[in-house]
Amino acid sequence: MRTMIVDDEIPALKLLEKHVNAQEGLTLIYTTTIGEEVVEKVKELDIELLLLDINIGNVLGIELAEEINRINPTVNIVFVTAYSEYAVTAFEVNAIDYLLKPVTKNRFAKMIKKVGSRKEEKVEQQRPLIFDIFSEGQIFKNQHTLLELRTKKALELLFILWHFSDGGLNKEQLVEYLWPDQVKESSTMMLHTTIYQIRQVFKKNKLQNPIIYKQGRYILTYPVETPLNKLKGLLKEPITLHNIMKVLDIYKERYFAMSDYLWAEEYSQHFHQIVLEYLMKAIKQNCVDQSIMTRILYKFKEDLLLEEDYVEIVYYYYQQNNQHIRAMEFLKETDEYWRNELDIPYSHFIDRLTS
């Protein structure tokens, strides 16, 4: 395995050289004390194993690891440092291991075994995960296989990172969304534990690491397939009976409605209104048949009864299609809802429609 050592402390660098040269299967390609040249040398020399000090002069090893992960995620990165408090940060950038100085022969051998076991792992072709965002709020490996995560928070964390996929989220934002009532130290530990559990589940399922830590932010890098883009596309297409049926088939529930995620509420309400306006336009243009109208009323009845404009659209749809009895029944249902649920004892609006 083509190996490179980066450490600005000469004694530590020489000790690592000794371990590398004594280890069967490793070939020492390059050593340096200069952090600024690391990224270029990794690319130029086709490095497979990088032993990287956390601090190299004015350069942070964590930042170098982020850059190397971005350009070549197959490089095995192992951090070496005298400070144990960097351990959590090291694993955030998906390092394989973390060695404390001075590195002993036995500890070095254990690290190599760990690197070897990862190298032998066969990762499945990176097919997109399927995020069920308009129903139960679950994640599937394929159309029929559920990805079973250990906790509900692990599931929510993946959903959050997908929802905020434009640039990811920092640690403070994530713990505020996931554990708003916990103290900082406790919530931070739970975040690290949850990310570790997610990575272990993906590893067990022979899936690539889904979360990277880059420039202080957590980012979901695994490809995801959801019905959201398809639904957005349908809402922009011409209104036809076929397209309306597709919209209703996809939009089973509001966006993450079954999960009660507070961070999703604003977008859920916004998108629900977009779908509702589309369906009202379809009804107004008389593009729905009786079966579709029944489905719309079943799913959106309360929404329709809360808006006078919507009530009027539905009422005139029935009138225009010679369903006068059904039109009057709908107004009666509206009047009863307003009286019982909204405490509106009398409506001039309904009188106007029937006059």
Side-chain angles (χ1 to χ4, degrees):
M1 194 181 305
R2 298 172 64 82
T3 304
M4 176 174 167
I5 303 171
V6 184
D7 201 315
D8 62 350
E9 297 178 359
I10 298 300
L13 189 147
K14 292 297 181 182
L15 179 59
L16 287 172
E17 278 188 29
K18 180 180 177 181
H19 289 324
V20 170
N21 290 328
Q23 182 68 47
E24 185 178 352
L26 297 187
T27 303
L28 184 58
I29 302 298
Y30 193 73
T31 65
T32 183
T33 60
I34 303 170
E36 287 81 1
E37 68 173 355
V38 172
V39 175
E40 285 304 316
K41 288 297 181 182
V42 167
K43 289 193 292 185
E44 176 189 334
L45 301 173
D46 194 23
I47 298 300
E48 297 172 282
L49 173 62
L50 178 64
L51 304 177
L52 180 62
D53 192 6
I54 289 282
N55 291 311
I56 315 104
N58 295 322
V59 179
L60 291 177
I62 296 293
E63 293 179 355
L64 291 176
E66 289 175 356
E67 179 66 14
I68 291 165
N69 269 329
R70 187 182 66 80
I71 61 176
N72 186 1
T74 65
V75 176
N76 298 289
I77 300 174
V78 175
F79 283 105
V80 186
T81 186
Y83 305 102
S84 60
E85 60 265 28
Y86 287 109
V88 170
T89 307
F91 288 114
E92 284 174 346
V93 292
N94 202 30
I96 288 182
D97 208 345
Y98 183 91
L99 302 179
L100 283 175
K101 298 177 182 179
V103 181
T104 66
K105 181 179 178 180
N106 287 340
R107 182 66 183 89
F108 190 86
K110 286 182 180 179
M111 177 272 293
I112 293 301
K113 186 176 180 181
K114 196 171 184 179
V115 172
S117 65
R118 173 180 280 199
K119 198 173 181 182
E120 291 170 3
E121 290 173 2
K122 293 182 179 179
V123 177
E124 288 186 1
Q125 184 180 358
Q126 204 171 12
R127 297 177 180 175
L129 295 174
I130 301 171
F131 279 20
D132 175 21
I133 61 173
F134 293 126
S135 185
E136 297 296 325
Q138 295 175 321
I139 297 177
F140 294 85
K141 286 178 62 178
N142 53 52
Q143 293 291 340
H144 309 290
T145 308
L146 185 69
L147 182 67
E148 296 185 4
L149 294 156
R150 290 181 60 182
T151 65
K152 290 182 179 179
K153 288 298 181 184
L155 182 68
E156 186 177 359
L157 176 56
L158 288 172
F159 283 145
I160 286 177
L161 290 177
W162 171 77
H163 177 82
F164 295 101
S165 56
D166 294 337
L169 294 172
N170 61 37
K171 188 182 304 178
E172 289 72 23
Q173 290 170 317
L174 279 174
V175 297
E176 179 62 29
Y177 283 129
L178 290 164
W179 298 281
D181 300 323
Q182 296 289 335
V183 296
K184 182 178 179 181
E185 292 77 10
S186 176
S187 59
T188 300
M189 182 58 67
M190 286 189 283
L191 174 63
H192 294 314
T193 301
T194 302
I195 291 173
Y196 175 78
Q197 290 174 347
I198 289 171
R199 286 173 173 161
Q200 290 301 107
V201 168
F202 273 66
K203 181 179 178 181
K204 180 181 177 182
N205 283 272
K206 294 183 170 57
L207 303 174
Q208 295 180 15
N209 171 40
I211 300 171
I212 65 168
Y213 184 74
K214 183 178 181 181
Q215 296 179 345
R217 304 179 79 81
Y218 293 92
I219 301 169
L220 181 67
T221 57
Y222 206 96
V224 171
E225 179 182 297
T226 78
L228 183 60
N229 287 336
K230 184 176 181 180
L231 184 52
K232 284 181 176 179
L234 284 169
L235 296 175
K236 293 177 182 178
E237 290 182 9
I239 298 176
T240 65
L241 189 62
H242 179 68
N243 285 344
I244 297 167
M245 290 176 65
K246 282 186 175 180
V247 168
L248 292 172
D249 288 341
I250 294 173
Y251 195 66
K252 297 180 178 69
E253 298 286 347
R254 292 192 185 206
Y255 184 76
F256 287 120
M258 305 294 284
S259 306
D260 292 326
Y261 296 145
L262 293 178
W263 48 266
E265 279 189 1
E266 183 178 350
Y267 185 77
S268 175
Q269 293 173 5
H270 168 73
F271 194 74
H272 186 72
Q273 191 62 35
I274 291 174
V275 174
L276 197 56
E277 292 291 343
Y278 170 88
L279 294 173
M280 290 303 98
K281 187 176 180 181
I283 295 171
K284 196 171 184 178
Q285 294 178 5
N286 209 16
C287 295
V288 302
D289 60 17
Q290 185 56 48
S291 64
I292 294 298
M293 191 64 185
T294 301
R295 288 182 67 183
I296 292 173
L297 283 174
Y298 178 78
K299 279 190 175 184
F300 299 93
K301 190 168 187 177
E302 188 169 339
D303 295 293
L304 303 183
L305 296 179
L306 287 171
E307 293 286 341
E308 289 184 353
D309 288 346
Y310 296 162
V311 171
E312 186 170 355
I313 288 171
V314 174
Y315 173 75
Y316 281 122
Y317 166 82
Y318 284 127
Q319 291 286 15
Q320 290 168 7
N321 286 276
N322 296 317
Q323 299 180 48
H324 306 298
I325 294 176
R326 182 67 189 99
M328 296 308 297
E329 288 175 347
F330 178 71
L331 285 188
K332 183 180 179 182
E333 292 167 9
T334 302
D335 183 57
E336 289 177 354
Y337 180 82
W338 287 3
R339 289 175 186 274
N340 298 330
E341 302 297 330
L342 306 180
D343 293 325
I344 300 176
Y346 177 78
S347 172
H348 293 286
F349 166 74
I350 292 179
D351 282 348
R352 178 176 62 80
L353 287 181
T354 56
S355 61

